[in-house]
Amino acid sequence: MSFRKRNAVISSSGSSQTAQPKVESTPVPGVRPSPVDSRPTTSTGTASLDNLLAGHSGLPLGTSLLIGEHGTTDFAGMLVRYYVAEGLVQGHQTHVLGLHEGWRAELPGLSTDAKSSSKSEPSSENKMKIAWRYESLGSAGAARDREAQRSLGASDTGTAAPFCHSFDLTKKLSPGDVKGQIGFHPSMTGPQSKPPFKQFIRDLSLKLANSPPGWVHRVVIPNLLSPTGYSSQASHPQEVIQFLHGLRALLRQYSKILTAIITLPLSLYPRTTGLTRWMELLCDGVLEFIPLQAMAIHKPPPSSSKGEGKGDEQVQGLVKVHSLPVFHEKGGGGSHSALDDQSFSLSRSKGLIIKPYYLPPADTEENATEAKDFAKPSMEF
């Protein structure tokens, strides 16, 4: 009778167990896991829009976003420019349908970190003197939150690679900052030209099939079905619906490397039509931009600190969230009831900011005008 320990592992003499080395995958630039369900996400170039996308802090790979806008403004076009500029800086491959190559010169440039850091730091006179750990709780709360969010995209190795860059509309994107490639596909070669949808799907599928591992692709379709860029045949339902079905199939097939953003002029194709509703159903997220008239632009509510009131921008429109990418039983990280009242404002240095909408107090403007009239000296004799 042989005696041996019960927990001892009997190893065969012929086979020797060797520890296999762990293969660490290199992180893809501009891609990080979602805090909700750890699926890969990429930034849209707008930090406030990333926070709005169902708690994923970015646009999940393999999804599409449809942005409709009323009127003749181009706020949705600014979001597209930030989206393309972010992709080029991160080294992603961008495919644009319906625009010419000269549109590349309209992309905003990177803002300098020195100016942003100098503006975000409070002056020595305004610092709180309660305790040393409260010195950073000055009027730069919004800037500090932005910097904290950008630091989440940096890798653990200490590389300063932000997940979402900040852009300046007064500057142009320099070729030295561009790491990716961009390709333009014309939407109309003549007045009676065929719709470009089938050819675009074929070209995109070929490039995705031959894409090296680690490459991320972005699809941009601004002003879909606009008469200035598409022929009358392109607005037929069988053409548009088939195109969106093909794009959705590519997004599901290449769910780790592909995202898409589409803008639609709602003044020409309102949401009450069946075609627009089908387009919304074939997209994962749907946002609606409602610009306010020049006389209806609201000023921000008065704040307690003077520095904070100067940094706020005027509300230039409203944002309605109709659907967001939802992937699990928890609802995507947030409920739509909390996203009902949203507004946006556009600044040259801060970009487009989406934030909750608050009506200013009714007596604030009246009291301000009465105080100004009372302070003016009377010139009547």
Side-chain angles (χ1 to χ4, degrees):
M1 183 176 181
S2 60
F3 297 93
R4 63 179 177 85
K5 295 181 180 180
R6 293 184 179 181
N7 297 331
V9 179
I10 302 176
S11 60
S12 59
S13 59
S15 62
S16 60
Q17 297 179 355
T18 58
Q20 297 180 356
K22 295 182 179 180
V23 180
E24 296 182 358
S25 59
T26 58
V28 181
V31 177
R32 70 180 181 187
S34 169
V36 178
D37 51 7
S38 298
R39 66 178 60 247
T41 61
T42 185
S43 176
T44 60
T46 306
S48 56
L49 180 59
D50 293 342
N51 296 332
L52 197 68
L53 295 176
H56 295 287
S57 298
L59 182 63
L61 297 181
T63 60
S64 60
L65 186 63
L66 177 64
I67 304 175
E69 184 175 0
H70 296 270
T72 58
T73 55
D74 196 23
F75 292 105
M78 296 307 304
L79 281 179
V80 168
R81 291 181 178 89
Y82 288 128
Y83 176 70
V84 174
E86 180 68 31
L88 292 178
V89 172
Q90 297 286 4
H92 299 172
Q93 312 300 312
T94 307
H95 312 275
V96 183
L97 175 62
L99 294 178
H100 52 84
E101 294 185 1
W103 184 76
R104 188 199 304 235
E106 301 179 8
L107 298 178
L110 291 173
S111 63
T112 56
D113 296 334
K115 293 182 180 180
S116 61
S117 62
S118 62
K119 292 180 181 179
S120 62
E121 291 179 357
S123 59
S124 58
E125 297 178 357
N126 297 330
K127 283 186 178 181
M128 302 178 66
K129 304 201 176 166
I130 302 174
W132 62 269
R133 59 179 176 270
Y134 297 138
E135 288 184 356
S136 59
L137 299 179
S139 61
R144 188 182 64 255
D145 294 342
R146 260 194 326 269
E147 295 296 332
Q149 181 184 359
R150 291 172 192 165
S151 63
L152 291 176
S155 60
D156 297 335
T157 57
T159 57
F163 177 74
C164 179
H165 294 80
S166 58
F167 297 93
D168 193 350
L169 293 177
T170 60
K171 299 179 181 180
K172 303 299 180 182
L173 188 62
S174 61
D177 298 330
V178 176
K179 300 178 182 178
Q181 299 178 0
I182 183 172
F184 294 91
H185 301 262
S187 59
M188 185 172 57
T189 57
Q192 300 296 331
S193 61
K194 296 181 179 180
F197 300 138
K198 294 181 180 179
Q199 185 64 32
F200 179 75
I201 291 295
R202 285 195 294 266
D203 295 343
L204 181 60
S205 60
L206 182 61
K207 291 181 180 179
L208 290 174
N210 299 328
S211 175
W215 281 22
V216 180
H217 297 259
R218 300 188 176 206
V219 175
V220 178
I221 308 175
N223 293 326
L224 181 62
L225 303 182
S226 176
T228 58
Y230 295 88
S231 60
S232 58
Q233 298 180 1
S235 60
H236 293 172
Q238 60 269 20
E239 295 288 343
V240 184
I241 300 302
Q242 186 177 1
F243 166 67
L244 292 179
H245 270 292
L247 181 60
R248 186 182 179 90
L250 291 178
L251 288 169
R252 297 301 183 264
Q253 182 179 0
Y254 301 96
S255 60
K256 302 297 182 182
I257 60 173
L258 182 62
T259 56
I261 287 185
I262 307 171
T263 62
L264 179 69
L266 293 180
S267 300
L268 302 177
Y269 303 93
R271 298 188 68 249
T272 55
T273 60
L275 178 60
T276 304
R277 288 302 179 96
W278 270 108
M279 296 170 65
E280 292 180 354
L281 290 175
L282 293 175
C283 296
D284 299 297
V286 179
L287 301 180
E288 182 181 0
F289 277 52
I290 307 175
L292 298 178
Q293 299 180 1
M295 300 298 296
I297 294 179
H298 297 289
K299 295 181 179 180
S303 56
S304 58
S305 59
K306 298 181 180 180
E308 188 177 353
K310 294 179 181 179
D312 293 334
E313 298 294 335
Q314 293 182 349
V315 175
Q316 298 177 348
L318 304 178
V319 179
K320 289 186 177 181
V321 181
H322 298 291
S323 63
L324 291 176
V326 179
F327 299 99
H328 51 86
E329 65 277 2
K330 294 182 180 180
S335 60
H336 293 271
S337 60
L339 302 176
D340 290 340
D341 300 328
Q342 298 290 325
S343 63
F344 68 88
S345 59
L346 182 63
S347 175
R348 291 181 297 177
S349 58
K350 296 181 180 180
L352 196 142
I353 302 176
I354 300 176
K355 55 187 177 181
Y357 178 64
Y358 301 104
L359 285 174
D363 299 335
T364 303
E365 297 181 358
E366 297 178 0
N367 294 338
T369 54
E370 291 178 0
K372 290 182 180 178
D373 296 339
F374 181 77
K376 290 181 180 178
S378 178
M379 300 298 295
E380 297 179 0
F381 296 99

